[in-house]
Amino acid sequence: IGVGRGHARGCPVYGRLHPIFRSIQSFIRTPHVRRRYGERVLMNVSSPPRPAALRHLHPTDAAGTLFIAVNLGLTGTGLWLSGGGPSMAWAIGQILVGLSMVEWFVLLHECGHRTLFRGGAWNTAAGYVAGFFSLIPFAMWTPVHRLHHKWTGWQDLDPTTAALAPRDRRRVERQIVRLCWRYWIPLF
């Protein structure tokens, strides 16, 4: 954990290893971490992991179908509970519908990256279904999201943050903001 003079003894400034680095080192040296990842891989950041170690990350049609089916069930259950009945059932139904909408967006995102299913056609079809339930059109979201990945970090070029980029304000806008700031008037 150090480069240059004194790294074998610890930190050249303090003369010993910082406690955070000591805990990381002890974690890496525990048997279960060495057995699972191999100490050589963890210690050498420049070497990429072997393809066999990443096989579990590849999309499978079975997993994609399971995610779609579970979320259809969650959405259906939430809508059924929200359809009427006691207020507690309605509240639970609303929570389930809200959670399922978030999950539909996650599935839309994975389909946009073509990582939910192995084939592109299945990702596109599932993306349209997920877009319907998350209330975001898949065909419109995909190009915007690709531009977002292309321009991440460039606030003025990223389409998801372009409206947040600082711009010159007119004098009257600055006066209104100062007035609202001074008298605690919320701006929306």
Side-chain angles (χ1 to χ4, degrees), residues 93-151:
Q94 291 296 299
I95 291 170
L96 289 178
V97 168
L99 290 173
S100 71
M101 287 182 75
V102 171
E103 182 62 27
W104 281 118
F105 175 75
V106 170
L107 295 177
L108 172 108
H109 183 264
E110 294 305 313
C111 290
H113 284 288
R114 305 223 178 266
T115 56
L116 187 62
F117 293 98
R118 291 182 65 186
W122 284 104
N123 280 306
T124 302
Y128 280 105
V129 172
F132 173 78
F133 284 111
S134 66
L135 305 177
I136 300 171
F138 181 68
M140 307 308 276
W141 177 83
T142 305
V144 169
H145 191 64
R146 284 193 185 122
L147 287 173
H148 161 70
H149 278 287
K150 180 178 182 178
W151 297 110

Side-chain angles (χ1 to χ4, degrees), residues 169-180:
R169 307 278 184 208
R170 293 178 297 182
R171 185 174 182 204
V172 70
E173 288 177 306
R174 289 193 310 267
Q175 288 174 341
I176 290 171
V177 169
R178 281 191 201 119
L179 177 78
C180 292

Side-chain angles (χ1 to χ4, degrees), residues 11-141:
C11 177
V13 176
Y14 297 111
R16 66 191 190 298
L17 201 58
H18 192 277
I20 292 174
F21 295 127
R22 270 197 306 244
S23 64
I24 291 171
Q25 232 177 19
S26 65
F27 174 75
I28 289 171
R29 289 186 178 143
T30 55
H32 74 281
V33 173
R34 277 195 316 228
R35 200 170 39 251
R36 182 158 182 194
Y37 300 106
E39 191 166 352
R40 191 172 115 325
V41 173
L42 283 176
M43 297 305 279
N44 187 359
V45 178
S46 64
S47 68
R50 295 180 301 276
L54 301 176
R55 190 165 291 128
H56 68 283
L57 298 175
H58 291 278
T60 63
D61 292 342
T65 304
L66 180 67
F67 281 121
I68 294 289
V70 166
N71 213 30
L72 279 172
L74 182 68
T75 304
T77 304
L79 290 174
W80 180 73
L81 288 172
S82 297
S87 59
M88 182 60 96
W90 178 85
I92 292 171
Q94 291 296 299
I95 291 170
L96 289 178
V97 168
L99 290 173
S100 71
M101 287 182 75
V102 171
E103 182 62 27
W104 281 118
F105 175 75
V106 170
L107 295 177
L108 172 108
H109 183 264
E110 294 305 313
C111 290
H113 284 288
R114 305 223 178 266
T115 56
L116 187 62
F117 293 98
R118 291 182 65 186
W122 284 104
N123 280 306
T124 302
Y128 280 105
V129 172
F132 173 78
F133 284 111
S134 66
L135 305 177
I136 300 171
F138 181 68
M140 307 308 276
W141 177 83

